[in-house]
Amino acid sequence: MLKRHARAACTALAAAGLLLAATGAVATAAPADATDTARPQKSASATLRTSEAPPELLTAMQRDLGLTPTQAKARLAHEAEAGATAARLQARLGAAFAGAWLDGADAGTLTVATTRAADTASIRATGARAKLVGRSLADLDTAKAALDRAATAGTPVRYVDPRGNTLVVEETRPGAAAGLLAATGTDPALVTVVRTAEAPRPLYDLRGGDAYYMNGSGRCSVGFPITKGTVNGFATAGHCGRAGTTTSGFNQVAQGSFQASVFPGNDMAWVAANANWSSTPYVKGSGGTNVQVTGSVLQPVGASVCRSGSTTGWHCGTIQQHNTSVTYPEGTISGVTRTTVCAEPGDSGGSYISGSQAQGVTSGGSGNCSSGGTTFFQPLNPILSSYGLTLKVTGTDPGPGPGNPEPGGTWKAGSVYAAGATVTYGGASYRCIQGHQAQTGWEPPVVPALWQRL
């Protein structure tokens, strides 16, 4: 956790996809049901409007990921298409699913792992690479949960590495990981131990990435502007303040107060602003330019992600693991995402974004933006869901397309749907394949990247 006086801010990002050929050529997923063929089908990259990525985001991706302009644009499209393919395969493989990840400078290769040899042909049929492994993602997650309950500051980070089909435990002193495995009865064969010299800490210190101050002293960063009914505000990190903590903006003008906060356990909070502040659908990009936010679809491992914070500004990297657990001196938080993006004190609470999709808010990390580092973000969708918040997004409402059923059913704009959730719309049933906050224009029949018809 990186501390600036008292606290700091963080943010998040996300995106979704369909399917991808191993050659790097983007393919369009087949309709989930023959009755859908009469309806217009949007690819994931079209749904998430990756072609409209702002120049500032593309420039930062080129700088931090070593990409050419063509690779940066292709990467966003490939990530979008691959995300939905991975989500569909996870639902199809069930208990045999062992993770998915992207490789290549332009994210042109999607690999999906399974414990069942019979699945490899169907994985390859989608254009993805198949990898047969010995342990399922569910088995490794179960083992990690046992370690999380007993972890101390000596083993500050634990996560499942799908590429290695292993559970990784970072230790800050010799023998700490071995002691944790012994205390929990965990099979050492499941675990890879990594020695680390630095322990993560919260990045202490209504546009995403802008500074705000708590009780007139400590500084954090705005995550994502939101609304709750008629109230404007923003999502941020829980370690930045507790319910009742007052805030002032980047200009030191009275801003609002924390309405709810959780830390440790999770690292989430939201601030309600006063009538002088209005939520915008933007994150502060390179040079202070506005980067538009259009949704909250979480991207897969290997996808690019950029962070905005009030200390170090705009930096990019890649998503390394989801559902990571981190033990700070203040306690353990679970369900955060590990990234290669750098951060420093004061960046806490700030925005992580992939393409135009909000991913989460900065929780903590190690290293810095001179030598490089590792950071963790609290995913945004759980914050929105927990507090009943609506992400401020751009775009106009296109309405239902030609041939779509009339609206109706249990689907509701503003609701946060996790992968696997089911809804009805226009007389049909749909299963969510990628977690996101629903919005008008993203009705199930017109976004096969997010919903599969049953």
Side-chain angles (χ1 to χ4, degrees), residues 55-72:
E56 297 78 17
L57 183 142
L58 295 171
T59 298
M61 290 176 64
Q62 293 167 48
R63 178 196 66 199
D64 294 340
L65 298 175
L67 305 178
T68 66
T70 298
Q71 287 174 327

PDB file of all heavy atoms in Angstrom, residues 55-72:
ATOM      1  N   PRO A  55      -7.012   8.728 -28.740  1.00  0.00           N
ATOM      2  CA  PRO A  55      -5.581   8.721 -29.045  1.00  0.00           C
ATOM      3  C   PRO A  55      -4.696   8.662 -27.806  1.00  0.00           C
ATOM      4  O   PRO A  55      -3.628   8.046 -27.834  1.00  0.00           O
ATOM      5  CB  PRO A  55      -5.383  10.051 -29.800  1.00  0.00           C
ATOM      6  CG  PRO A  55      -6.727  10.377 -30.360  1.00  0.00           C
ATOM      7  CD  PRO A  55      -7.720   9.863 -29.355  1.00  0.00           C
ATOM      8  N   GLU A  56      -5.142   9.294 -26.698  1.00  0.00           N
ATOM      9  CA  GLU A  56      -4.319   9.305 -25.486  1.00  0.00           C
ATOM     10  C   GLU A  56      -4.128   7.895 -24.933  1.00  0.00           C
ATOM     11  O   GLU A  56      -3.054   7.537 -24.457  1.00  0.00           O
ATOM     12  CB  GLU A  56      -4.970  10.183 -24.412  1.00  0.00           C
ATOM     13  CG  GLU A  56      -5.092  11.644 -24.792  1.00  0.00           C
ATOM     14  CD  GLU A  56      -6.268  11.890 -25.745  1.00  0.00           C
ATOM     15  OE1 GLU A  56      -7.157  11.008 -25.840  1.00  0.00           O
ATOM     16  OE2 GLU A  56      -6.302  12.950 -26.385  1.00  0.00           O
ATOM     17  N   LEU A  57      -5.182   7.082 -24.985  1.00  0.00           N
ATOM     18  CA  LEU A  57      -5.071   5.711 -24.497  1.00  0.00           C
ATOM     19  C   LEU A  57      -4.141   4.904 -25.398  1.00  0.00           C
ATOM     20  O   LEU A  57      -3.278   4.154 -24.921  1.00  0.00           O
ATOM     21  CB  LEU A  57      -6.461   5.065 -24.441  1.00  0.00           C
ATOM     22  CG  LEU A  57      -6.514   3.635 -23.883  1.00  0.00           C
ATOM     23  CD1 LEU A  57      -7.758   3.444 -23.040  1.00  0.00           C
ATOM     24  CD2 LEU A  57      -6.497   2.607 -25.004  1.00  0.00           C
ATOM     25  N   LEU A  58      -4.290   5.049 -26.711  1.00  0.00           N
ATOM     26  CA  LEU A  58      -3.439   4.317 -27.644  1.00  0.00           C
ATOM     27  C   LEU A  58      -1.974   4.721 -27.494  1.00  0.00           C
ATOM     28  O   LEU A  58      -1.071   3.875 -27.541  1.00  0.00           O
ATOM     29  CB  LEU A  58      -3.916   4.564 -29.075  1.00  0.00           C
ATOM     30  CG  LEU A  58      -5.310   4.022 -29.412  1.00  0.00           C
ATOM     31  CD1 LEU A  58      -5.757   4.521 -30.781  1.00  0.00           C
ATOM     32  CD2 LEU A  58      -5.317   2.494 -29.374  1.00  0.00           C
ATOM     33  N   THR A  59      -1.735   6.011 -27.278  1.00  0.00           N
ATOM     34  CA  THR A  59      -0.362   6.485 -27.099  1.00  0.00           C
ATOM     35  C   THR A  59       0.271   5.897 -25.848  1.00  0.00           C
ATOM     36  O   THR A  59       1.442   5.476 -25.853  1.00  0.00           O
ATOM     37  CB  THR A  59      -0.335   8.023 -27.023  1.00  0.00           C
ATOM     38  OG1 THR A  59      -0.823   8.561 -28.251  1.00  0.00           O
ATOM     39  CG2 THR A  59       1.076   8.536 -26.771  1.00  0.00           C
ATOM     40  N   ALA A  60      -0.491   5.835 -24.749  1.00  0.00           N
ATOM     41  CA  ALA A  60       0.035   5.269 -23.504  1.00  0.00           C
ATOM     42  C   ALA A  60       0.294   3.776 -23.653  1.00  0.00           C
ATOM     43  O   ALA A  60       1.284   3.250 -23.120  1.00  0.00           O
ATOM     44  CB  ALA A  60      -0.943   5.519 -22.362  1.00  0.00           C
ATOM     45  N   MET A  61      -0.581   3.071 -24.362  1.00  0.00           N
ATOM     46  CA  MET A  61      -0.361   1.643 -24.612  1.00  0.00           C
ATOM     47  C   MET A  61       0.919   1.429 -25.416  1.00  0.00           C
ATOM     48  O   MET A  61       1.701   0.511 -25.127  1.00  0.00           O
ATOM     49  CB  MET A  61      -1.554   1.046 -25.356  1.00  0.00           C
ATOM     50  CG  MET A  61      -2.823   0.941 -24.524  1.00  0.00           C
ATOM     51  SD  MET A  61      -4.230   0.338 -25.493  1.00  0.00           S
ATOM     52  CE  MET A  61      -3.684  -1.312 -25.939  1.00  0.00           C
ATOM     53  N   GLN A  62       1.154   2.280 -26.410  1.00  0.00           N
ATOM     54  CA  GLN A  62       2.373   2.164 -27.206  1.00  0.00           C
ATOM     55  C   GLN A  62       3.610   2.382 -26.342  1.00  0.00           C
ATOM     56  O   GLN A  62       4.600   1.657 -26.434  1.00  0.00           O
ATOM     57  CB  GLN A  62       2.326   3.172 -28.351  1.00  0.00           C
ATOM     58  CG  GLN A  62       1.255   2.883 -29.394  1.00  0.00           C
ATOM     59  CD  GLN A  62       1.025   4.058 -30.318  1.00  0.00           C
ATOM     60  OE1 GLN A  62       1.985   4.638 -30.835  1.00  0.00           O
ATOM     61  NE2 GLN A  62      -0.232   4.442 -30.520  1.00  0.00           N
ATOM     62  N   ARG A  63       3.544   3.388 -25.467  1.00  0.00           N
ATOM     63  CA  ARG A  63       4.684   3.714 -24.607  1.00  0.00           C
ATOM     64  C   ARG A  63       4.968   2.613 -23.596  1.00  0.00           C
ATOM     65  O   ARG A  63       6.114   2.160 -23.443  1.00  0.00           O
ATOM     66  CB  ARG A  63       4.406   5.027 -23.875  1.00  0.00           C
ATOM     67  CG  ARG A  63       5.502   5.473 -22.906  1.00  0.00           C
ATOM     68  CD  ARG A  63       4.964   6.536 -21.962  1.00  0.00           C
ATOM     69  NE  ARG A  63       3.943   5.992 -21.074  1.00  0.00           N
ATOM     70  CZ  ARG A  63       3.055   6.741 -20.422  1.00  0.00           C
ATOM     71  NH1 ARG A  63       3.060   8.054 -20.577  1.00  0.00           N
ATOM     72  NH2 ARG A  63       2.164   6.182 -19.624  1.00  0.00           N
ATOM     73  N   ASP A  64       3.939   2.154 -22.882  1.00  0.00           N
ATOM     74  CA  ASP A  64       4.146   1.252 -21.757  1.00  0.00           C
ATOM     75  C   ASP A  64       4.196  -0.220 -22.152  1.00  0.00           C
ATOM     76  O   ASP A  64       4.771  -1.041 -21.425  1.00  0.00           O
ATOM     77  CB  ASP A  64       3.048   1.465 -20.713  1.00  0.00           C
ATOM     78  CG  ASP A  64       3.119   2.840 -20.065  1.00  0.00           C
ATOM     79  OD1 ASP A  64       4.193   3.463 -20.137  1.00  0.00           O
ATOM     80  OD2 ASP A  64       2.109   3.288 -19.499  1.00  0.00           O
ATOM     81  N   LEU A  65       3.591  -0.582 -23.284  1.00  0.00           N
ATOM     82  CA  LEU A  65       3.581  -1.976 -23.714  1.00  0.00           C
ATOM     83  C   LEU A  65       4.484  -2.226 -24.914  1.00  0.00           C
ATOM     84  O   LEU A  65       4.566  -3.358 -25.402  1.00  0.00           O
ATOM     85  CB  LEU A  65       2.146  -2.415 -24.053  1.00  0.00           C
ATOM     86  CG  LEU A  65       1.153  -2.365 -22.892  1.00  0.00           C
ATOM     87  CD1 LEU A  65      -0.249  -2.708 -23.375  1.00  0.00           C
ATOM     88  CD2 LEU A  65       1.584  -3.315 -21.782  1.00  0.00           C
ATOM     89  N   GLY A  66       5.152  -1.185 -25.389  1.00  0.00           N
ATOM     90  CA  GLY A  66       6.072  -1.346 -26.497  1.00  0.00           C
ATOM     91  C   GLY A  66       5.391  -1.715 -27.804  1.00  0.00           C
ATOM     92  O   GLY A  66       5.926  -2.509 -28.585  1.00  0.00           O
ATOM     93  N   LEU A  67       4.215  -1.126 -28.070  1.00  0.00           N
ATOM     94  CA  LEU A  67       3.426  -1.485 -29.242  1.00  0.00           C
ATOM     95  C   LEU A  67       3.566  -0.452 -30.355  1.00  0.00           C
ATOM     96  O   LEU A  67       3.875   0.708 -30.102  1.00  0.00           O
ATOM     97  CB  LEU A  67       1.941  -1.598 -28.861  1.00  0.00           C
ATOM     98  CG  LEU A  67       1.580  -2.550 -27.723  1.00  0.00           C
ATOM     99  CD1 LEU A  67       0.078  -2.484 -27.452  1.00  0.00           C
ATOM    100  CD2 LEU A  67       1.996  -3.969 -28.051  1.00  0.00           C
ATOM    101  N   THR A  68       3.309  -0.893 -31.567  1.00  0.00           N
ATOM    102  CA  THR A  68       3.151   0.036 -32.673  1.00  0.00           C
ATOM    103  C   THR A  68       1.718   0.552 -32.664  1.00  0.00           C
ATOM    104  O   THR A  68       0.840  -0.039 -32.013  1.00  0.00           O
ATOM    105  CB  THR A  68       3.411  -0.654 -34.018  1.00  0.00           C
ATOM    106  OG1 THR A  68       2.383  -1.640 -34.241  1.00  0.00           O
ATOM    107  CG2 THR A  68       4.777  -1.329 -34.023  1.00  0.00           C
ATOM    108  N   PRO A  69       1.431   1.640 -33.373  1.00  0.00           N
ATOM    109  CA  PRO A  69       0.038   2.110 -33.431  1.00  0.00           C
ATOM    110  C   PRO A  69      -0.926   1.043 -33.931  1.00  0.00           C
ATOM    111  O   PRO A  69      -2.039   0.905 -33.410  1.00  0.00           O
ATOM    112  CB  PRO A  69       0.119   3.300 -34.389  1.00  0.00           C
ATOM    113  CG  PRO A  69       1.509   3.819 -34.231  1.00  0.00           C
ATOM    114  CD  PRO A  69       2.357   2.590 -34.045  1.00  0.00           C
ATOM    115  N   THR A  70      -0.514   0.278 -34.941  1.00  0.00           N
ATOM    116  CA  THR A  70      -1.376  -0.779 -35.482  1.00  0.00           C
ATOM    117  C   THR A  70      -1.621  -1.873 -34.442  1.00  0.00           C
ATOM    118  O   THR A  70      -2.743  -2.365 -34.282  1.00  0.00           O
ATOM    119  CB  THR A  70      -0.745  -1.398 -36.740  1.00  0.00           C
ATOM    120  OG1 THR A  70      -0.610  -0.381 -37.739  1.00  0.00           O
ATOM    121  CG2 THR A  70      -1.599  -2.527 -37.281  1.00  0.00           C
ATOM    122  N   GLN A  71      -0.570  -2.254 -33.707  1.00  0.00           N
ATOM    123  CA  GLN A  71      -0.717  -3.289 -32.678  1.00  0.00           C
ATOM    124  C   GLN A  71      -1.637  -2.837 -31.553  1.00  0.00           C
ATOM    125  O   GLN A  71      -2.425  -3.626 -31.029  1.00  0.00           O
ATOM    126  CB  GLN A  71       0.654  -3.655 -32.110  1.00  0.00           C
ATOM    127  CG  GLN A  71       1.522  -4.463 -33.043  1.00  0.00           C
ATOM    128  CD  GLN A  71       2.924  -4.659 -32.485  1.00  0.00           C
ATOM    129  OE1 GLN A  71       3.464  -3.787 -31.781  1.00  0.00           O
ATOM    130  NE2 GLN A  71       3.534  -5.797 -32.774  1.00  0.00           N
ATOM    131  N   ALA A  72      -1.544  -1.564 -31.161  1.00  0.00           N
ATOM    132  CA  ALA A  72      -2.398  -1.064 -30.071  1.00  0.00           C
ATOM    133  C   ALA A  72      -3.865  -1.143 -30.459  1.00  0.00           C
ATOM    134  O   ALA A  72      -4.712  -1.595 -29.668  1.00  0.00           O
ATOM    135  CB  ALA A  72      -2.016   0.372 -29.721  1.00  0.00           C
TER     136      ALA A  72
END
